Amino acid sequence: MRRPTCLLFALCLAACLLAGCAPQSEAPQPTATPAPTHTPVEEEPAEPAYETLEGINPYTGLPQGENYPAGKRGVAVMINNVKGALPQSGINSADLLYEMVTEGGVTRLMAVYRDYANMPVVGPIRSARDQHVQLMLPLECLYAHIGGSTYANVLLDVFHCPGYRSLDGKYRNFYWIDQERRKTMDQDYCVYTDGPTLAAALEKFGLDTDFGYEMPQTFRFVGADEPARVLEDGVAKQVYLRFSGYTDCEFRYDETTGRYAKWEFGEPQVDEGDGGAQYQADNLFILFTEITKYPDGVLSQVDLSGQGYGYYFCDGRYERVRWMKGAASSPLRILRLDGTEEDVLVNPGQSYIAMVGLDQFEYFRIDDQPVE
């Protein structure tokens, strides 16, 4: 009898997400104090007040380069992130990498690629979760996953993604099973795709790969020909965050590359498809929000229809920021802490974005020091 209840709740949730309201009770309005709070947005936030820069990749702010897929959608791929599924493939090539808890303290990754046809081998692929769907929708990209939670599936249906932008596992043509891994691992840890395979499936099933004009810009980027912005609040050579008692991770600034390298489960997080190279990102966004459980008592409910505080890291420094998001299709915005509606200037490069529970803030560390 639990499934009808969950389905009814999912339908109600979808209506809330469309309207931009938050399921949690209202919290006090934030001030300029960088204490971790979460506040529901009463009105849907305005569209970002910046224009897309000409000739750049809107996911990274970097120059488009040759054979840029102008007018084509990007793709977001769900990736397994339990310890037993490691190492993954394809994470080093992702323009954007999102991480959030899903259930039982486990996190799942969503890797986003601007050029789906030239995407490397990516996986192991897993199912959709509504928190990831809410961050995928405003990117206007395609979505590759295998199955999904009730809440994710309802949200995808509301936005007409199945058969239009979403490649579910029912389209078996878009993935394969790594038979060598399958000898010692569960099938959930062995499913992969790549650019040519995905492109062929998209054509076969007639999904909408044409966006018609340039993709929406993810952040307000510094111009590619302008000097990088120096973040204002201090030095950050090491960043530690905990998602749950099961999952924590650490980033260490690499002076030689000018990027942050990631550790997970006490080991370097590596990309098997990239010769075992460790994952690194130019920009880190660690954003805090309310995370509870859905009525099933299992799935994590990540509150994204509001605003809260977070931290932006780049080039060995950090800055306190605010984040804001309204309805499910509204963009995630990174705003200045001063209470204005001004979007933070983000340096070009690959970005890692984590949504972390407010209950985990006490474990958050910058250079081994607690953050107040």
Side-chain angles (χ1 to χ4, degrees), residues 52-74 95 113-118 211 213-217:
T52 299
L53 299 174
E54 294 292 333
I56 67 136
N57 177 338
Y59 292 163
T60 64
L62 296 170
Q64 292 178 354
E66 295 183 17
N67 301 317
Y68 180 79
K72 294 287 185 180
R73 296 186 188 274
D95 294 325
Y113 306 87
R114 182 64 193 87
D115 187 355
Y116 68 81
N118 287 306
F211 189 62
Y213 50 94
E214 193 44 87
M215 304 288 291
Q217 191 169 310

Side-chain angles (χ1 to χ4, degrees), residues 157-236:
D157 285 339
V158 166
F159 285 91
H160 309 293
C161 287
Y164 164 55
R165 283 171 50 190
S166 175
L167 265 178
D168 195 351
K170 61 187 177 184
Y171 300 127
R172 294 184 60 90
N173 306 63
F174 98 90
Y175 68 79
W176 70 84
I177 296 172
D178 185 320
Q179 296 299 332
E180 192 60 33
R181 279 174 66 110
R182 187 69 183 90
K183 292 176 182 178
T184 58
M185 295 184 177
D186 292 340
Q187 184 164 305
D188 287 346
Y189 304 166
C190 303
V191 184
Y192 292 83
T193 191
D194 62 12
T197 304
L198 181 66
L202 293 171
E203 183 176 358
K204 176 179 175 65
F205 294 106
L207 267 69
D208 183 10
T209 60
D210 295 324
F211 189 62
Y213 50 94
E214 193 44 87
M215 304 288 291
Q217 191 169 310
T218 307
F219 305 113
R220 181 190 176 201
F221 287 112
V222 173
D225 57 348
E226 298 175 12
R229 189 170 71 84
V230 178
L231 305 194
E232 299 175 354
D233 289 341
V235 173

Side-chain angles (χ1 to χ4, degrees), residues 128-149:
R129 291 293 182 267
D130 68 277
Q131 55 266 51
H132 296 86
V133 173
Q134 292 180 63
L135 292 170
M136 175 276 297
L137 287 170
L139 300 176
E140 296 287 354
C141 60
L142 301 158
Y143 189 46
H145 59 100
I146 298 177
S149 68

Side-chain angles (χ1 to χ4, degrees), residues 79-131:
I79 299 180
N80 201 330
N81 198 45
V82 301
K83 189 173 183 179
L86 303 181
Q88 298 130 333
S89 292
I91 57 176
N92 287 359
S93 300
D95 294 325
L96 304 164
L97 190 68
Y98 296 88
E99 183 169 6
M100 289 174 283
V101 292
T102 53
E103 62 270 337
V106 172
T107 65
R108 191 158 298 172
L109 305 179
M110 182 174 74
V112 184
Y113 306 87
R114 182 64 193 87
D115 187 355
Y116 68 81
N118 287 306
M119 185 177 68
V121 173
V122 178
I125 304 170
R126 284 294 277 128
S127 56
R129 291 293 182 267
D130 68 277
Q131 55 266 51

